[in-house]
Amino acid sequence: MFLVLIGLGGGLAVGSGFVAFITVLDIIPRLTQLTNAHRHIRGFEWALVSGVLVFTLIDFFHWGVELPVLVTAIYGLFAGIFVGTLAAGLTEVLNVFPIVAKRLHMDGNLLFLLMAVVFGKVTGSLLQWLLHL
């Protein structure tokens, strides 16, 4: 029961953070502006929600599938396009770090704040890939 409670709490924290990230930073409207696809904004929203739900189920139930190399390459291409457009949208709102540094009274130490984020991401990724967490 304790593990279920921890899992639900972690899922709620990550989900809430993701929704706050997407909503507060206006990622979807910014992506539609960058890609000049304003008429497809609902499609972007549904694609994001559907992707989150499908890949949550895939991760939760440990589903796997053997795909040909061509299909994997096409999937990788689309995943790369998604990450690239998301990064492009983030560059528009990257002024978040100076604001956070100012509020944390780290004005002169912005490099340390950015490096903490980078090292945290790298450490988390390595733990997940190497230890299969």
Side-chain angles (χ1 to χ4, degrees), residues 7 13 18 36 71 97 111:
F18 182 72
N36 203 13
V71 175
F97 287 113
L111 179 64

Side-chain angles (χ1 to χ4, degrees), residues 28-50:
I28 298 296
R30 195 65 195 124
L31 277 175
T32 58
Q33 186 178 12
L34 286 172
T35 58
N36 203 13
H38 296 289
R39 66 179 187 270
H40 300 294
I41 193 165
R42 292 284 181 226
F44 275 94
E45 291 171 348
W46 278 105
L48 184 69
V49 170
S50 300

